[in-house]
Amino acid sequence: MTTMGLLLALSFVASLGALGFLIWAIANRQFSVNQQDAASIFEPGEIGTPDDSTAFQSHKDAKQQGFDAARARIDEAGHKVVVLMVAGAVLALIVGSLFGLISSFKLHLPDFLADSAVMTFGRVRTMHLNLVSYGWLSMAGIAAAMWMVPRMFRTPLRRPNLAFFGACVWMTATTLAVIAIGLGYSEGAEWLEMPWPVGILLGIGGACMAIALVDTARHRQVHHIYVTAWYLIGGLCWFPILFFIAKFPGLHAGVQHATVNWWFAHNVLGLWLTPLGVGTAYYLIPKIVGKPVFSYAVSLLGFWGLALFYSQVGIHHLIGGPVPTWVVTLSIVHSMMMFIPVIAVAINQHGTVLANLWAFKQSVTLRFVSIGALMYTLASFQGSLEALRSINSVTHFTHYTVGHAHLGAYAFTSMVMFGAFYYMLPLLTKREWPWPRLLNLHFWLVVVGFSIYFFAVSIGGWLQGMGLLEVGRPFGDITRMLQPYLQARSIGGILMTFGHLIFAVHIAALLLNKQAVRSVASVQPAAIAETV
C-alpha cells in the first residue's frame, strides 16, 4: 500500500500543479474567450481560404505575397529537429510494422521463425510496441509540435540546439530499447519493458524538447494561447514526469508495481499520445477548411476535462486482481467522466468538418485528420464502456482489448499524424508531393486494412471472452475457433504495412528533392463558392 499511497499523493500533487496552471490561465484572461480567439491561428486574409497544397493549390497561390516568406523564417530555427524527428518516426513506423506483422503471423503460424530467439513472439511483439509508441507515434507528434507551436506563437523555436539534442537522445534511447528487448533484456511490464537506464534516457530527451517548447511559449508574440498549444505543451510536460515516476528503479514492486504499470500505460495514451493527436487535429482541421472551429469555448472544456479526469483511468485493467476495490471503482468513475471532454472535442472537430464536407471530399489530408478525430471519439466511448465490470469481465485478457488499443493508437493518432505530415512537409520543404495519387492509395490501404484488422480482432475477441466464461469448455476449442479471425488480422496488417511503405517512399522522395510531376490542381467552383 506504500506505493499506492505514493501514487495517489503524486497524482494529488499533479492535480495541484494543474490547478496552478488553471489559476494562471484565468488570471491572464486565457479563459476570457470568445469565438474570435478561435481565429488566432489564422493570418490576415486566411479565413475563408482553404489551405492544403494537395487539393487547393490555386487558393494557396492567391494568398498575400510575403506571407509564406515570413513563415519560412519562423520555420528555420526548428527545421533540423523537425526533419530529424520526421525521418526517425517514419523509419520506426516501417520497422515496427514489420515486427507487428511477424507477431501477427505467429498467432496462427506458431512455427514461423521459431528457431530464432530474437524472433520469438514475446520479443517481437514487445519490439513492435516500443517502436510504434515511442518511435513512430511519439516522434511524429513531437515533430508536429515543433512545427506548429512556433507558427501559433509567431516566433521561432527557442533553444533549437537543446531541442535537437533532446531529439537525438530520444532516438538513441528508442534504438537502444529495441536492441535490448531483442536480446532479452526486458523488465516485463507492458509499455515499460525497456531497461530503466534506457528509460531514464528517454525521459531526459523528452524533457529537453519540452523545455524548448515551453521557452518558445514564454516568448510568444500573441497574447492568447490557442487550444492546440495547451494540448501539445501539456503532453510534453506530462510525459517526462509520468515516465520518471514509472521507471524509477526500486520504487515499485509486486501488486503495487502492477498498479503503477497500468496507471502509466493508460496515462501514456491519455496524457501523451492523446494530447498530441487531439491538439494536432485542432490546428489542422480549421487551417485546411479555412474556418475556425465550431465552438472555441468548448475546446478549452475538452482540454481541462482531459487533464482533470484521465489520471486514474488505467486501473480498470486490474478488475478482479488483488487490489483494493475502491481503487478500481475510482478508475471506473474517472472513465465515465471522460465522456465530458470527449464529447467536447467531438462537437468541435466533427461539427467543423460536417459544415465543410466539400473540403472533406477534395482534401486527402483532411480525410486522414478528420477520420482520425472520429476514431478518437469512438475509441474513447469504447474505452469508457470497457471499464464497466459487466463488459470488462468478457473483454479482459482477449483480442478485443487489442482491437481497442489499435483503435486509439492507430486509427486515431496514426491517422492524424499521416495527415499532419502530408500538410506540413510541403510547407517545411517548399516542395510539392512528387506523386499526389499515392496519398489516395495510402489512405485506402490503411483504411481498408485497419477495418479488416479491427473487426476481426473485435469479433474474435468477444467470442473468445464469451468462450472463456463457459464452464467446462476446452481452451483448445477456443483457440481453434479464433484462427480465422487471426488470419484476417494478418491480412489487414499486410495492407496497412503496404500503405506505410508507400508513405515512407513518398516522404523520402520529398526530402531528397524528387522533382514534382503533377500540374497545379484546380479547385472546383462549388468549393470556391463555399469558402467566400
Side-chain angles (χ1 to χ4, degrees):
M1 290 300 295
T2 302
T3 303
M4 201 170 298
L6 176 63
L7 174 62
L8 294 175
L10 290 170
S11 297
F12 177 70
V13 171
S15 298
L16 289 180
L19 181 61
F21 275 112
L22 181 61
I23 294 171
W24 175 88
I26 294 172
N28 284 270
R29 298 184 178 181
Q30 293 296 327
F31 279 176
S32 300
V33 298
N34 53 53
Q35 191 58 21
Q36 291 181 346
D37 291 315
S40 61
I41 58 172
F42 294 98
E43 295 287 345
E46 277 195 314
I47 295 181
T49 303
D51 184 12
D52 178 8
S53 63
T54 67
F56 312 119
Q57 185 66 37
S58 62
H59 276 187
K60 182 183 176 185
D61 293 341
K63 286 184 180 179
Q64 296 178 349
Q65 294 296 320
F67 174 74
D68 287 335
R71 280 189 162 179
R73 290 196 293 271
I74 288 177
D75 288 344
E76 275 181 11
H79 186 276
K80 286 197 304 182
V81 65
V82 172
V83 171
L84 177 66
M85 293 301 272
V86 165
V90 173
L91 180 61
L93 173 66
I94 297 303
V95 180
S97 298
L98 294 175
F99 282 141
L101 205 55
I102 293 171
S103 63
S104 181
F105 284 153
K106 284 179 171 291
L107 292 174
H108 54 88
L109 296 172
D111 293 331
F112 180 62
L113 299 178
D115 296 332
S116 171
V118 177
M119 291 292 109
T120 53
F121 178 83
R123 298 190 191 182
V124 171
R125 189 264 175 188
T126 306
M127 289 189 286
H128 161 71
L129 174 63
N130 281 261
L131 277 167
V132 297
S133 57
Y134 303 120
W136 156 241
L137 293 173
S138 295
M139 289 196 284
I142 294 171
M146 292 287 179
W147 181 79
M148 286 186 292
V149 168
R151 284 180 167 235
M152 284 184 289
F153 292 153
R154 300 177 188 176
T155 186
L157 179 70
R158 304 293 169 149
R159 303 179 185 271
N161 291 333
L162 179 64
F164 189 81
F165 171 75
C168 292
V169 171
W170 185 288
M171 293 178 67
T172 301
T174 304
T175 304
L176 291 175
V178 174
I179 293 173
I181 292 168
L183 294 175
Y185 298 99
S186 171
E187 297 196 356
E190 191 162 7
W191 293 87
L192 293 167
E193 296 93 348
M194 65 181 69
W196 70 262
V198 178
I200 299 301
L201 196 64
L202 189 78
I204 291 172
C208 290
M209 291 182 283
I211 291 170
L213 285 182
V214 170
D215 198 27
T216 303
R218 194 170 66 87
H219 289 87
R220 68 187 186 278
Q221 300 301 307
V222 295
H223 171 71
H224 182 72
I225 300 177
Y226 184 69
V227 65
T228 291
W230 283 107
Y231 277 105
L232 297 179
I233 296 177
L236 277 161
C237 291
W238 282 325
F239 177 79
I241 298 171
L242 294 170
F243 205 79
F244 274 120
I245 292 173
K247 284 298 291 183
F248 198 86
L251 187 61
H252 318 296
V255 173
Q256 292 83 2
H257 191 199
T259 306
V260 174
N261 181 192
W262 282 109
W263 170 81
F264 171 79
H266 249 277
N267 280 336
V268 78
L269 290 170
L271 297 180
W272 172 231
L273 297 182
T274 293
L276 293 178
V278 173
T280 300
Y282 259 125
Y283 181 84
L284 292 179
I285 290 174
K287 289 288 283 186
I288 293 172
V289 302
K291 295 179 182 178
V293 293
F294 184 75
S295 172
Y296 189 66
V298 171
S299 69
L300 294 178
L301 173 65
F303 171 78
W304 288 105
L306 177 74
L308 293 173
F309 298 142
Y310 203 93
S311 63
Q312 301 298 328
V313 165
I315 313 302
H316 70 256
H317 281 274
L318 298 177
I319 291 176
V323 296
T325 303
W326 67 266
V327 177
V328 176
T329 302
L330 176 65
S331 176
I332 295 172
V333 171
H334 276 247
S335 296
M336 295 300 106
M337 294 300 292
M338 276 301 297
F339 277 108
I340 296 173
V342 171
I343 292 173
V345 172
I347 289 172
N348 255 326
Q349 297 185 354
H350 308 335
T352 304
V353 173
L354 286 173
N356 298 276
L357 284 177
W358 55 268
F360 181 87
K361 295 174 183 177
Q362 290 184 245
S363 172
V364 182
T365 301
L366 181 60
R367 271 178 253 160
F368 273 111
V369 178
S370 59
I371 287 179
L374 177 62
M375 293 302 105
Y376 168 66
T377 303
L378 297 180
S380 298
F381 284 2
Q382 184 189 34
S384 293
L385 294 175
E386 264 190 271
L388 297 173
R389 287 182 172 90
S390 57
I391 297 178
N392 192 277
S393 62
V394 178
T395 61
H396 204 36
F397 300 124
T398 70
H399 289 281
Y400 186 93
T401 304
V402 177
H404 168 65
H406 282 76
L407 185 64
Y410 188 87
F412 160 45
T413 313
S414 286
M415 292 291 279
V416 171
M417 291 306 152
F418 290 146
F421 279 23
Y422 283 137
Y423 178 85
M424 74 180 188
L425 287 179
L427 296 174
L428 183 71
T429 62
K430 306 181 185 67
R431 304 167 194 152
E432 292 185 26
W433 287 106
W435 309 294
R437 291 187 179 182
L438 289 186
L439 276 68
N440 263 313
L441 180 58
H442 174 208
F443 175 80
W444 287 112
L445 280 172
V446 296
V447 166
V448 174
F450 179 76
S451 298
I452 296 172
Y453 181 105
F454 176 74
F455 285 110
V457 295
S458 296
I459 296 171
W462 186 267
L463 295 175
Q464 178 188 17
M466 295 299 291
L468 291 172
L469 292 175
E470 289 185 28
V471 178
R473 183 172 181 181
F475 186 78
D477 288 350
I478 301 172
T479 302
R480 284 187 289 272
M481 177 270 296
L482 280 173
Q483 292 306 298
Y485 300 99
L486 297 177
Q487 291 165 356
R489 165 183 169 154
S490 293
I491 292 172
I494 290 171
L495 293 176
M496 293 155 65
T497 301
F498 274 126
H500 301 163
L501 290 171
I502 290 171
F503 176 64
V505 170
H506 210 181
I507 287 181
L510 182 74
L511 295 179
L512 295 174
N513 200 16
K514 177 71 177 177
Q515 182 66 37
V517 296
R518 75 179 178 94
S519 59
V520 174
S522 61
V523 181
Q524 295 178 4
I528 297 176
E530 288 282 353
T531 60
V532 296

